[in-house]
Amino acid sequence: MAEPVTASHAASHAALYARPRRLGWAAAGAVALTGIQLWFGSVAVVLPGGHGGDSTLRLRMVLAVAWAALAAGSLHSGMHGWEAAGGPRLRRAERVQPLAAGACAVGLAGGAEAVVAGPASAVAVGRALLIWWGLAVLSGRLWGRQQVWVLPVVTLFPLSYLGWDAAGAVRWWNWPWQGWHSTPCWLPRHSPSARRRGG
């Protein structure tokens, strides 16, 4: 007869799962990113545009890439080779943990943004973070959990350089510059006269 799972068993299983993942470092990174976003999130980085002129990228959007990579990368384990043979309990934890980390990242980043810039900016940052989080998870699946940053970072160039048409309107797929109301931003809901705006 199987032994019932008690609270102490559950706690010990959680501790065994967390130990090789260095979740303490991930929590420290989250605290650091929150502080940077609160104090420096509105700093503007001016980048050249593909149709002349320039685009202004707020640091908060670059931080959304970092948040996404942190949340998806927290799944990496120093024992991933051993864990490849793990059972259903481990697989279940590996599904829940990145979702929980992504939710925490959206909550912290969105909360910090709501404090310093208001709810509209918080929604835009949260949407961008979720999209980059999905790309980070995909990147981890393709190239390993230590490479979760690859796809989010690669998208920064086309988004910042090619994200406007010749008339200066934000393209429908340029999610960091789409307004908060353009949800989901992959549907062309922006006005043709929409002008460039920081994320």
Side-chain angles (χ1 to χ4, degrees):
M1 184 173 173
E3 185 180 348
V5 177
T6 65
S8 63
H9 281 107
S12 66
H13 290 152
L16 286 173
Y17 177 81
R19 188 178 302 157
R21 283 167 179 77
R22 300 182 181 172
L23 297 181
W25 286 103
V31 170
L33 283 175
T34 303
I36 293 169
Q37 188 165 348
L38 285 169
W39 278 281
F40 303 107
S42 295
V43 171
V45 180
V46 178
L47 303 169
H51 292 283
D54 55 48
S55 60
T56 301
L57 178 65
R58 303 287 176 192
L59 182 60
R60 66 174 64 99
M61 283 303 172
V62 179
L63 290 175
V65 172
W67 276 111
L70 178 68
S74 66
L75 186 60
H76 173 69
S77 168
M79 298 179 63
H80 62 277
W82 292 92
E83 291 176 350
R89 182 177 294 170
L90 177 64
R91 300 284 87 86
R92 204 165 37 245
E94 288 181 333
R95 287 192 298 270
V96 170
Q97 192 255 322
L99 292 172
C104 287
V106 169
L108 289 170
E113 195 61 21
V115 168
V116 296
S121 184
V123 172
V125 167
R127 180 190 62 209
L129 196 161
L130 283 173
I131 294 170
W132 273 314
W133 175 84
L135 289 172
V137 170
L138 177 61
S139 186
R141 294 282 293 178
L142 292 174
W143 297 297
R145 293 173 182 169
Q146 289 183 304
Q147 311 303 323
V148 295
W149 55 271
V150 172
L151 287 177
V153 169
V154 165
T155 61
L156 282 175
F157 171 76
L159 289 169
S160 60
Y161 189 71
L162 304 171
W164 293 268
D165 60 23
V170 181
R171 295 189 191 275
W172 60 268
W173 46 262
N174 193 356
W175 66 82
W177 279 269
Q178 286 287 347
W180 66 271
H181 50 78
S182 297
T183 305
C185 65
W186 47 84
L187 294 178
R189 297 178 53 180
H190 67 284
S191 164
S193 62
R195 293 296 163 194
R196 300 180 184 189
R197 52 178 169 256

